[in-house]
Amino acid sequence: MSEQDAAGNGYDFARIQAKWQAIWDELEPFATRDPDDPRPRKYILDMFPYPSGDLHMGHAEAYALGDVIARYWRQQGFTVLHPIGWDSFGLPAENAAIKRGLDPKKWTYENIEQQKKAMKQYAASFDWDRVLHTSDPGFYKWNQWLFLKMYERGLAYRKASWVNWCPQDQTVLANEQVEDGRCERCGAFAVKKKLTQWYFKITDYADRLLDDLGQLEGTWPSKVISMQRNWIGRSTGADVDFVIEGRDEPLTVFTTRPDTLFGATFMVVAPDSDLAAELVAGSTPEVQAAFADYLTQVQKSTEIERQDAGREKTGVFLDRWAINPVNDERVPIWAADYVLADYGHGAIMAVPAHDQRDLDFALKFELPVRVVVDTNAPVTGAIPVVDPEAPIDDIPSLDPLATGVALNGDGRMINSGPLDGLSKTHAIARMIEILEKDGRGRSARNFRIRDWLISRQRFWGTPIPIIHAENGDLIPVAEDQLPIVLPETEGLDLMPKGTSPLGGAADWINTTNPVDGSPAKRDPDTMDTFVDSSWYFLRFLNPNDDTQAFDPAEAEKWAPVDQYVGGVTHAILHLLYARFITKVLYDMGYVSFTEPFSALLNQGMVLMDGSAMSKSKGNLVRLSDQLQEHGVDAIRLTMSFAGPPEDDIDWADVSPHGAEKFLARAWRLAGDVTSEPGVDWSKGDRALRRETHRFLADAPGLVESFKFNVVVARIMELVNATRKAIDTGAGGGDPAVREAVETVALGLNLFAPYTAEEMWETLGYPPSVALATWRKAEPELLVAESVVCVVQIDGKIREKLTVSPDATEAELEALAMASPNVQRTIAGREIVRTIVRAPKIVSIATK
RNA sequence: GCCCCUGUAGCCCAACCGGCAGAGGCAAACGACUUAAAAUCGUUCAAGUCAGGGUUCGAAUCCCUGCAGGGGCACCA
């Protein structure tokens, strides 16, 4: 297949691959076993895959990049933990079971075997001793343990609420799993369903999840940080209590604009909230009927319709009234679906003059609008503007009733009693003071993020370790009873029907109440698979320990993960959950750190002709075909060389064939080296040595800043220089040539491990190049003998001087002034300024 | 609507703190090899950095405006 192609000279990747796979299997160079290894440690982790069958181009990119980093740190003298496992619970296995009658367990583990083989062929330097599968009872036992710990702390709880339901997958979805109103997995429109479900209380950690993002600044992609910030969505403002006529309890609302409280002319409650139901119950029969109609209509509308900001406002008046706490005005209470039941208090004060949504609503239902901020007035920075007497200019342009545009900018308060004359920021602070003094409000914060819904009505997941007593009590399973193992699928109907298939496993679901021995049932639901992946990185430390989830002492040694590598598709879901669980484990005292992943690299996607590959688009490039055609090393190299790792790779723009040619070229160098190992480098050709050492000096920084494409380019340069030295210069026997080729092998180990091993062996060394250490550049070889100093006159280059690298500024200036070119150019001009930056540039400014 | 990122040869991409725009690759052209082509090897070619303005002795790099592309959040009070 490749005997005579790329190189025409016998570079046969298929032969090399087969040869080294066998050697690696024997040598196991990447197992991390010695607990007393004195070397510094690095934990390099690739996001573990779902066992989907074959590896695809996306895997190939991710594992190539992660492996560069793992191999790099080994070369730098670190002991590297680089494990792999499988995120092996989840819907595809179950769907395959339903569709094709396969056992999900069998399907899963067969796929894992296939992928494992492919990963080994791909030369990923994983520690194969530490493989884990989340679908092993030995793993999910600890998932159940984690659940119980969360339950003990009140962080796992059950509540009835409107949840996202996927009618296709017949299961609930977490908020994070709904995209544009659709199930992120199957694309079906999600619908709302009221169900009692298990939640993890991630909102308790919202502040810390947001604030700690600051620690990740610089080591996480700023894109991911901002996505998480957006997702958590903290707003600051105030809670304000409104007295309701005919109700003992006040109605509390959250607002980010307490300064506009004097402009609150009505209130709105979410129609699907308990509050609306209660208020309506105290109203007239006519209102009750109208409300019932409205509620039905709201619940029929899909999430998509409801989220369309441009859609016309709807609502019903409840014929109930509240009292504005600052001016004692009676304000009507409406129900409208632009207010969400599960944000804030499910109710708002409406300030139509200064909020577009409220204004739209007021215009439609002819509710009063009162301007309380003169947005035309100048705002003078931090100093409060206190001049209530100043005239309010240009009132008509300020009239939202006329323009239909709410005034949400800053300005000077008017019509607001004690706030009059203040600017927005000062008015907000002042209003909060007033409210707090009167006990009618307080400063408050709200979050966009909701609690994490973790129950799923599916079979292939971790059973929730809770027993339901006949009287409805929830009894956690005792820790020593774990794991609650999934029943066999034989005879079980896995068809989705809205309730968990586990409910149909009579032998399994029926149990006894551990308290009194009475009949009881197990919880029929399984956990979201994101629970598994939120702590799996700790399980790698001792994956077979059946006495604890992970060993805190090992965690102390290895964790947090030094470098995490994976796709940006998990920017919110997985990474947020893992951060959350890590903080919970910290609070419980199991770990001493609060962030799981110290650094994150998001690789881009592999595209074809500008769009994601898919069978239906007909632009699918099969990894197996590419490997067959060009070999593992060429594909890995292509992935690394295509561009910055976080950019998408368009397979139409890259050249695996070019990579293959280059590897053959590099490989041939090794055969042309005629000196023996151990020759004295110092006698070698100086120019080539300088190239080699420049590379040795620069490569580490480039790898550490993820400029893999540049490192590859630098290896290419070194290969080109070495080729030239062999053919037309020093010759294959020169020690500098051996030094250069050995350096190429060390560099290629990161990107093309098979070729690197083969070269290393040809050069006369025993395996493995992956365990060889990087060489230090010799400083004296890094200083150039001469450098070019540019002379600029008024920004234009007029002369280039060849000078010693340690020429002084005075020398350079003198040299520049002595140059005929310079003299000619400045003749008759007055020199205003001369700037010298030794040894690079002399810049002369004239008048 | 709010927020973020990116625009450099035909294409993918380099360029440290602002200091000679070019490292590498792809494509192309030419040459060698070949009866010829492919493959292979060698040589060569290329833009003044999206547009406009500003700061500076000096701008791809910093600032402002605009255009183009990509992404995140979005009836979140």
Side-chain angles (χ1 to χ4, degrees):
Chain A
M1 99 196 30
S2 60
E3 292 76 13
Q4 289 298 317
D5 59 4
N9 262 324
Y11 174 73
D12 177 357
F13 62 76
R15 184 187 62 80
I16 299 176
Q17 285 173 202
K19 169 179 164 185
W20 287 98
Q21 266 173 62
I23 296 174
W24 290 332
D25 278 346
E26 174 74 29
L27 208 63
E28 298 186 319
F30 309 116
T32 317
R33 287 176 185 151
D34 180 3
D36 303 316
D37 195 321
R39 291 176 296 169
R41 298 163 199 278
K42 284 280 178 190
Y43 186 178
I44 311 298
L45 185 61
D46 290 289
M47 288 182 186
F48 66 165
Y50 182 83
S52 50
D54 237 337
L55 293 182
H56 54 65
M57 297 296 277
H59 292 122
E61 184 188 3
Y63 299 135
L65 302 183
D67 220 41
V68 171
I69 299 170
R71 287 172 179 272
Y72 169 76
W73 288 110
R74 279 189 207 100
Q75 282 185 329
Q76 296 296 322
F78 284 71
T79 173
V80 170
L81 179 60
H82 189 215
I84 189 71
W86 276 268
D87 189 13
S88 50
F89 267 143
L91 281 182
E94 199 165 336
N95 288 340
I98 293 158
K99 225 163 121 187
R100 290 179 275 153
L102 304 167
D103 179 3
K105 193 189 289 172
K106 190 158 176 285
W107 182 93
T108 299
Y109 286 88
E110 281 175 5
N111 277 349
I112 289 173
E113 275 319 301
Q114 192 186 347
Q115 284 194 337
K116 190 171 171 179
K117 224 176 116 196
M119 284 175 180
K120 285 194 166 184
Q121 189 212 17
Y122 200 60
S125 66
F126 294 130
D127 179 349
W128 295 106
D129 282 357
R130 292 175 186 257
V131 171
L132 66 78
H133 317 112
T134 58
S135 54
D136 289 349
F139 181 89
Y140 69 74
K141 170 181 178 176
W142 301 108
N143 242 7
Q144 293 171 338
W145 170 84
L146 176 69
F147 179 95
L148 293 175
K149 289 286 161 198
M150 302 281 286
Y151 187 71
E152 268 172 35
R153 298 207 133 217
L155 292 170
Y157 70 99
R158 248 157 80 93
K159 76 170 173 193
S161 73
W162 295 98
V163 299
N164 301 300
W165 176 265
C166 175
Q168 174 74 37
D169 290 338
Q170 290 279 307
T171 188
V172 299
L173 303 167
N175 257 303
E176 289 83 343
Q177 287 165 322
V178 180
E179 285 172 11
D180 294 332
R182 293 164 181 268
C183 168
E184 60 144 17
R185 191 172 287 284
C186 72
F189 278 107
V191 296
K192 288 282 180 184
K193 217 173 167 175
K194 192 150 196 171
L195 288 173
T196 300
Q197 299 283 311
W198 285 101
Y199 290 82
F200 278 171
K201 214 166 184 181
I202 194 170
T203 51
D204 271 10
Y205 284 72
D207 268 319
R208 286 162 70 188
L209 288 166
L210 192 76
D211 293 338
D212 288 358
L213 287 170
Q215 294 172 29
L216 306 173
E217 212 93 53
T219 55
W220 275 40
S222 51
K223 182 177 163 180
V224 174
I225 292 177
S226 85
M227 282 167 79
Q228 293 217 351
R229 284 211 172 101
N230 275 337
W231 187 264
I232 297 166
R234 181 162 65 198
S235 311
T236 55
D239 277 349
V240 184
D241 303 330
F242 282 68
V243 170
I244 307 292
E245 292 182 356
R247 187 180 193 251
D248 295 335
E249 286 289 298
L251 195 174
T252 303
V253 298
F254 173 73
T255 177
T256 55
R257 294 294 305 276
D259 56 315
T260 61
L261 188 44
F262 280 88
T265 51
F266 58 99
M267 302 188 78
V268 186
V269 299
D272 49 348
S273 62
D274 295 343
L275 182 65
E278 185 216 307
L279 291 173
V280 163
S283 192
T284 64
E286 295 76 42
V287 167
Q288 291 180 11
F291 176 81
D293 281 353
Y294 182 59
L295 185 59
T296 315
Q297 181 197 321
V298 166
Q299 284 171 348
K300 268 200 316 215
S301 68
T302 65
E303 192 73 359
I304 274 283
E305 286 161 359
R306 187 167 166 157
Q307 278 176 3
D308 178 7
R311 105 186 221 263
E312 186 147 356
K313 294 282 182 287
T314 57
V316 288
F317 177 44
L318 299 183
D319 200 10
R320 298 289 304 258
W321 297 80
I323 307 296
N324 185 324
V326 290
N327 57 14
D328 293 333
E329 275 179 14
R330 281 182 97 216
V331 295
I333 305 174
W334 288 65
D337 70 352
Y338 81 92
V339 171
L340 308 175
D342 56 356
Y343 184 78
H345 304 282
I348 61 157
M349 65 178 211
V351 185
H354 304 288
D355 182 285
Q356 191 61 48
R357 297 155 300 182
D358 296 343
L359 181 62
D360 293 344
F361 194 81
L363 289 172
K364 170 137 186 220
F365 295 104
E366 300 185 332
L367 293 159
V369 176
R370 183 189 305 136
V371 175
V372 292
V373 186
D374 173 7
T375 51
N376 276 359
V379 176
T380 48
I383 305 152
V385 184
V386 191
D387 184 9
E389 299 310 314
I392 295 160
D393 18 276
D394 200 13
I395 290 294
S397 79
L398 276 176
D399 185 4
L401 261 181
T403 61
V405 179
L407 309 166
N408 41 25
D410 201 349
R412 192 187 54 159
M413 303 307 299
I414 54 174
N415 298 325
S416 294
L419 303 183
D420 279 355
L422 295 179
S423 67
K424 175 173 159 182
T425 0
H426 291 92
I428 289 174
R430 183 81 190 97
M431 181 53 90
I432 290 173
E433 278 172 33
I434 293 171
L435 289 169
E436 286 182 344
K437 197 177 77 201
D438 296 350
R440 289 171 168 187
R442 60 221 65 91
S443 75
R445 276 134 28 117
N446 249 298
F447 296 91
R448 209 194 70 93
I449 191 174
R450 305 303 202 290
D451 276 339
W452 174 13
L453 198 173
I454 61 144
S455 22
R456 296 290 181 275
Q457 290 66 51
R458 299 302 298 240
F459 170 81
W460 192 233
T462 303
I464 292 173
I466 291 286
I467 292 168
H468 297 258
E470 279 184 309
N471 64 3
D473 282 357
L474 301 175
I475 302 159
V477 172
E479 242 182 86
D480 61 12
Q481 299 296 304
L482 299 182
I484 305 301
V485 180
L486 285 170
E488 293 300 318
T489 46
E490 185 137 6
L492 198 59
D493 178 16
L494 296 180
M495 274 307 277
K497 49 194 169 299
T499 58
S500 175
L502 286 173
D507 290 349
W508 186 90
I509 196 88
N510 291 307
T511 183
T512 51
N513 183 332
V515 179
D516 60 11
S518 62
K521 285 189 187 301
R522 296 195 182 283
D523 196 293
D525 288 350
T526 52
M527 293 185 216
D528 184 359
T529 55
F530 279 111
V531 176
D532 316 5
S533 53
S534 64
W535 68 279
Y536 79 113
F537 64 98
L538 292 166
R539 186 66 185 167
F540 279 126
L541 305 178
N542 40 348
N544 301 313
D545 190 337
D546 58 6
T547 65
Q548 55 192 340
F550 60 92
D551 183 344
E554 288 290 301
E556 205 53 40
K557 285 195 325 207
W558 289 104
V561 172
D562 292 290
Q563 181 65 57
Y564 200 31
V565 179
V568 74
T569 42
H570 294 109
I572 297 172
L573 298 161
H574 161 55
L575 291 171
L576 192 65
Y577 295 149
R579 295 183 58 227
F580 164 50
I581 295 298
T582 300
K583 288 174 199 302
V584 171
L585 290 171
Y586 172 84
D587 289 350
M588 293 176 181
Y590 289 106
V591 297
S592 63
F593 49 88
T594 56
E595 285 293 336
F597 312 120
S598 303
L600 174 67
L601 174 64
N602 279 140
Q603 85 278 6
M605 290 189 305
V606 185
L607 312 175
M608 186 61 190
D609 292 321
S611 56
M613 294 180 189
S614 74
K615 263 181 243 160
S616 56
K617 278 196 204 110
N619 65 350
L620 193 74
V621 180
R622 283 179 45 182
L623 176 63
S624 52
D625 295 346
Q626 295 290 308
L627 294 176
Q628 183 79 17
E629 198 177 335
H630 304 290
V632 168
D633 281 356
I635 298 309
R636 290 174 55 127
L637 189 78
T638 302
M639 295 292 184
S640 303
F641 183 53
E646 56 277 9
D647 287 4
D648 290 344
I649 298 174
D650 194 326
W651 206 248
D653 289 335
V654 296
S655 172
H657 175 71
E660 189 186 346
K661 273 197 303 185
F662 163 72
L663 289 171
R665 204 168 133 78
W667 170 84
R668 249 179 294 133
L669 292 177
D672 290 346
V673 171
T674 55
S675 59
E676 293 302 313
V679 287
D680 182 2
W681 311 132
S682 64
K683 296 194 174 62
D685 178 80
R686 208 163 164 82
L688 182 58
R689 292 207 70 206
R690 192 167 278 128
E691 292 274 344
T692 301
H693 284 257
R694 273 201 316 118
F695 173 73
L696 286 171
D698 293 348
L702 290 169
V703 174
E704 286 176 41
S705 49
F706 307 138
K707 296 184 173 186
F708 308 141
N709 53 329
V710 182
V711 181
V712 173
R714 294 292 302 274
I715 298 176
M716 288 173 170
E717 266 185 272
L718 186 55
V719 166
N720 291 344
T722 311
R723 183 80 259 158
K724 210 164 244 168
I726 292 171
D727 290 349
T728 62
D734 192 288
V737 167
R738 166 166 280 276
E739 186 185 32
V741 178
E742 289 186 7
T743 304
V744 167
L746 286 169
L748 280 183
N749 169 54
L750 305 181
F751 307 99
Y754 288 113
T755 307
E757 292 284 19
E758 191 69 12
M759 289 175 72
W760 198 243
E761 188 188 61
T762 306
L763 287 163
Y765 294 106
S768 152
V769 70
L771 301 178
T773 45
W774 193 252
R775 292 174 183 165
K776 280 231 162 9
E778 293 172 22
E780 62 275 18
L781 285 167
L782 297 177
V783 275
E785 275 158 357
S786 66
V787 293
V788 173
C789 177
V790 176
V791 183
Q792 283 183 358
I793 296 163
D794 293 329
K796 291 207 173 74
I797 292 158
R798 299 296 184 183
E799 181 63 287
K800 292 182 181 183
L801 306 165
T802 301
V803 299
S804 147
D806 39 39
T808 65
E809 293 191 1
E811 285 165 5
L812 289 173
E813 185 172 349
L815 270 172
M817 296 313 293
S819 150
N821 282 340
V822 172
Q823 282 302 324
R824 202 176 313 122
T825 314
I826 62 173
R829 295 199 230 173
E830 185 192 338
I831 293 175
V832 183
R833 221 174 134 191
T834 304
I835 290 132
V836 186
R837 293 282 177 272
K840 286 173 128 175
I841 198 158
V842 177
S843 183
I844 300 166
T846 71
K847 200 183 257 179

